[in-house]
Amino acid sequence: MLNLERLRTLDALARHGSVSGAAAGLHITTSAVSQQMAKLEREVGQRLLAKNGRGVRLTDAGRLLAEHATRILSQVELAQADLEAQRGQVVGELRVSAFPTAARGLFPAALGHLRERHPALRVRSRELEPEQGIRGVVRGDLDLAVVLDWYNKPMPLPDGLVKAPLLDDPADVALPAGHRLAGRDEVGLDELAEEEWITWGEGEFCHEWLMFTLRSKGVEPVIGHRAAESHTQLGLVAAGLGVCVAPLLGRNPLPDGVVTVPLRQRVRRHVFVVWRADADRRPSIRAAVRALRAAGEGVGAGAAAGGGAGEGPAAAPR
């Protein structure tokens, strides 16, 4: 009889490609991974791992069994989801991630609601960029991930994932308060052609979107600074070091010395949550999606009540 936990370890090794990656994904030590694999090799009577430089690789038998392990674990996930659905209780552990502004703008309300309404559910959250969150859900390291794409640049999703929209997040341009365009009702991207931009890290989805969008308007961007966190970007704007795109979600309060002006071509990013299709019936998944949607509706209502962008720090949204 094959041991399920050992199959899970083999599956993690196949997905992560290394003992250390598998250990991190399973939240166990590297020695525990090695021990589990040694026991699994004794159970099947074949070598599943071979040395590969300083690391290891799967043998032909290891790859064959890993393929079966993926299907077996998916069936186990379905069985657990069906049992939870039949029981109808929101219990167990739920592992979730969100990109930083969504973690700030959505998680406090959504996770607070889950704790209040479903005290038997233990939620573990972390901040991850959208691509990392999607990979975590695909690998099984996460149950849910809050991710995003932009109105003109969709985020590709792997097969086997389900998604639900949470909110459309409007984005303005953030300018130093003394900027020549700071008093405008709206501004075009072409009017910012000579500005230094403060953007996200090289290769990040949002950075690639900004480069794509500016170049589509005939603007070759000058990148002055990079910062992963939106409030760091806004702090650099406050210091007069450049301009940045400032989505509504999670940006309140604006630092002193920063104003936001709507872009003439309305810019929005779509915020949504993804999970694995084989976990779709889990009550905990459905409860979390409902809580996240309610939090997203609260963000939209707060924006409507706050008077919108372009009015400076005293009238910052939400």
Side-chain angles (χ1 to χ4, degrees), residues 140-160:
D141 301 335
L142 296 169
D143 299 300
L144 289 168
V146 178
V147 300
L148 64 89
D149 61 18
W150 294 84
Y151 73 102
N152 59 344
K153 193 173 179 63
M155 168 72 78
L157 287 183
D159 293 338

Side-chain angles (χ1 to χ4, degrees), residues 89-135:
Q89 296 178 343
V90 181
V91 297
E93 181 174 273
L94 197 68
R95 300 156 300 169
V96 302
S97 77
F99 57 95
T101 50
R104 184 189 310 118
L106 298 177
F107 272 3
L111 303 191
H113 173 86
L114 287 172
R115 171 168 286 188
E116 179 182 346
R117 294 289 300 274
H118 307 290
L121 177 66
R122 184 174 59 182
V123 181
R124 297 287 179 260
S125 71
R126 59 191 300 195
E127 288 186 0
L128 288 175
E129 292 301 322
E131 302 96 323
Q132 295 173 301
I134 288 171
R135 286 197 297 269

Side-chain angles (χ1 to χ4, degrees), residues 174-179 194-199 222-227 232-244 257-258:
L175 306 168
H179 193 278
E194 304 302 319
E195 302 293 334
E196 280 196 68
W197 284 89
I198 300 161
T199 181
V222 177
I223 305 303
H225 305 277
R226 299 179 185 274
T232 304
Q233 295 182 9
L234 292 170
L236 294 169
V237 173
L241 298 173
V243 303
C244 75
V258 176

Side-chain angles (χ1 to χ4, degrees), residues 9 20 22-33 36:
T9 302
S20 59
L26 295 170
H27 305 289
I28 60 177
T29 64
T30 55
S31 62
V33 170
Q36 289 278 49

